[in-house]
Amino acid sequence: MPATPRPGRSARCGSGVSACGPGEDSVGTPDASPGNRGSMTAADYDDFAAAYTVENENGLFNAYYAHPAMLRLAGDVSGRRILDAGCGSGPLAAALTSAGAVVTGLDVSAAMVDLARQRLGEDADLHVADLAAPLPFADAAFDDVVANLVLHYLEDWSGPLSELRRVLGPGGRLILSVNHPAAYAIVYPEADYFALTRYSEDYSFDGRTVWLTFWHRPLHAMADAFAAAGFRIAAVSEPPPAADTPPELLPPGMEGRSAFMCFLFFVLEAV
């Protein structure tokens, strides 16, 4: 089961709202049937890890949207022990390390971990691990966990959230982002918003087309899963892109708007 975000999406407008979705040349396929398109495997991610990293290093949805939002929600991290769950090639881990955090990273893709090690150094604390399995860390090992664009790749949240809660100390925080459930309803108006639904979309990474599979769940199902795992919601954020975003990267339909609907961000506190 994939545990790392690979968003390389374009934006399109729907219902008068700027929303993330497949670009003009993309074909989205909401699909609740397990037989039509299989989920990505670690080997699949290994195969396009380098292309993904190149494509997203300076792209809107990572460099100017998700990463700045996650760092803003994390606040002062100096001296905090942070697990980057689904670290990919390590850009968020690098920023947290530069801010004074003691960062441990994990990713299901060995190729991504190799790229993260190139970025962070040979001594970086990095692990190949799957969020769908028990984590290789002691109880209360971390002050914070960041999971940037990870959980929407997982059908089951109960096990991963319980494990992330286990490795957090008292009062620890889980700071996460997922595909905005309302954006799914805008991009796929005929789909059932309230159903747990698997859907696939194609993305272009450095000229290569890759199909990614996600799981949509409604907002109330997210909140229920957080509570069941022992978290309370401390903050919800629908942020604008970073102030220094190049105008040419912004999606169409942004005239007169300060933000677009794409990802939803949470700060959860362990209880």
Side-chain angles (χ1 to χ4, degrees):
M1 178 89 54
T4 310
R6 308 287 177 257
R9 60 187 55 192
S10 301
R12 77 178 191 189
C13 293
S15 303
V17 179
S18 294
C20 277
E24 293 180 357
D25 298 327
S26 298
V27 180
T29 58
D31 173 30
S33 169
N36 288 354
R37 186 178 298 278
S39 296
M40 301 290 290
T41 67
D44 293 320
Y45 288 117
D46 288 347
D47 195 34
F48 64 82
Y52 163 80
T53 298
V54 169
E55 188 73 27
N56 287 282
E57 199 72 22
N58 297 299
L60 169 62
F61 297 107
N62 287 277
Y64 293 100
Y65 186 49
H67 291 169
M70 292 289 287
L71 292 170
R72 185 167 56 250
L73 291 171
D76 182 2
V77 296
S78 180
R80 296 184 71 83
R81 302 166 301 161
I82 299 181
L83 172 64
D84 186 353
C87 64
S89 61
L92 188 57
L96 291 167
T97 299
S98 295
V102 180
V103 180
T104 297
L106 70 84
D107 200 281
V108 72
S109 165
M112 281 290 184
V113 170
D114 286 344
L115 290 171
R117 196 171 300 283
Q118 293 174 29
R119 186 194 301 267
L120 299 169
E122 286 301 318
D123 294 334
D125 186 11
L126 299 170
H127 304 259
V128 177
D130 194 331
L131 284 179
L135 298 178
F137 308 113
D139 294 358
F142 301 101
D143 301 307
D144 298 315
V145 174
V146 294
N148 185 36
L149 305 176
V150 176
L151 290 179
H152 51 224
Y153 289 92
L154 305 178
E155 178 181 8
D156 173 47
W157 282 16
S158 58
L161 285 174
S162 294
E163 273 295 279
L164 295 178
R165 172 63 185 87
R166 179 186 64 79
V167 302
L168 278 170
R173 301 178 302 169
L174 170 56
I175 303 164
L176 66 96
S177 59
V178 292
N179 286 341
H180 200 303
Y184 173 84
I186 292 169
V187 175
Y188 301 109
E190 302 303 318
D192 182 358
Y193 167 82
F194 294 100
L196 176 65
T197 305
R198 190 176 72 172
Y199 65 104
S200 298
E201 295 175 348
D202 65 314
Y203 296 81
S204 177
F205 297 133
D206 199 26
R208 174 182 174 181
T209 299
V210 175
W211 280 89
L212 303 183
T213 297
F214 308 92
W215 287 90
H216 162 77
R217 51 184 28 87
L219 181 59
H220 80 268
M222 296 182 186
D224 290 347
F226 299 152
F231 291 102
R232 74 171 187 89
I233 298 174
V236 179
S237 180
E238 298 170 304
D244 62 345
T245 302
E248 63 272 17
L249 293 183
L250 293 172
M254 282 291 290
E255 296 79 6
R257 303 178 188 272
S258 62
F260 53 90
M261 188 178 295
C262 191
F263 306 135
L264 187 59
F265 298 79
F266 296 92
V267 178
L268 310 180
E269 293 182 353
V271 295

